[in-house]
Structure formats: structure tokens, C-alpha cells
Amino acid sequence: MEARSHGPHPEDRSYSDGLTDLGAAGSAVWGISPPRRHSHEKFARSRGLYMPLLSDTGLTVAKSFGITAPLIGVRRAVFILTGTGRPHWKHVTAVGATYPPATALAAQLARLTA
């Protein structure tokens, strides 16, 4: 799961392009951010993204994962959850200057299923 701020980010395309590998590792990939669904659909079409983009307009998911922040709203984050919804691994950053590539996520998924 990824909590996203507004605008395109390099990992959006990386994760979308890596869906086959991530799916083969037994995962589902979703993007989650505060904008409404219509905004997501337009964004996905403009970027050629194939993962579902979910809206968290009330920041319910962001708050439950502890990634809300004063001034910026939501920290950039990537989570890998177990089959029961518990966090297995996470990468959180304030401004999204770094992000793990899809290959790093696949490696974490392999550890989860090992």
C-alpha cells in the first residue's frame, strides 16, 4: 500500500510497471491518497498507471498507519502487509525524496512468504 501526496512520482510508474513481478510474489498493489476518485482516474490515465488508486479523503487510513504530518498532510509511505493486514515492512519519508523500487518490494515479499 502506498500513501501518496499530490502529483506524479517516479515510484508510481515503477510500481505499475512491476505489477507482474509483485503479483507473482503474491501481492496486490494499491495507491492511496487524499484526493477524490475523479482526480485519481485522471491522474492514472495521464501517467499510464494500472494499479487501483484509492481515496482517503478523511485521512482515516493515513492516521491509522501514523503517516499524517503537520503542514505537509501525509508523509510518503510504502507498506507491505501480511495476509491478516498487519504491517510486515514499511518505508516512510516526509517528502518522498527516496523510495524503494519495485525490486526491493519483491525481495521483502519473498521474505514474508519464506
Side-chain angles (χ1 to χ4, degrees):
M1 166 176 39
E2 174 191 356
R4 303 180 319 118
S5 59
H6 300 284
H9 296 277
E11 71 271 25
D12 295 326
R13 191 60 201 208
S14 171
Y15 299 154
S16 190
D17 289 346
L19 283 176
T20 301
D21 292 337
L22 293 172
S27 74
V29 177
W30 299 304
I32 303 175
S33 67
R36 298 194 183 281
R37 182 177 172 200
H38 173 73
S39 174
H40 285 329
E41 290 171 357
K42 183 178 177 183
F43 176 80
R45 281 194 304 272
S46 73
R47 301 283 296 154
L49 302 180
Y50 304 105
M51 69 188 93
L53 302 177
L54 309 175
S55 294
D56 185 22
T57 55
L59 300 180
T60 304
V61 175
K63 289 175 184 173
S64 72
F65 281 92
I67 59 170
T68 56
L71 303 176
I72 63 170
V74 178
R75 291 181 176 95
R76 303 279 301 157
V78 178
F79 292 88
I80 295 177
L81 306 177
T82 66
T84 60
R86 299 192 64 163
H88 163 72
W89 179 88
K90 68 180 178 179
H91 175 84
V92 180
T93 182
V95 295
T98 63
Y99 68 93
T103 53
L105 300 182
Q108 286 295 328
L109 287 165
R111 288 187 184 125
L112 178 63
T113 58

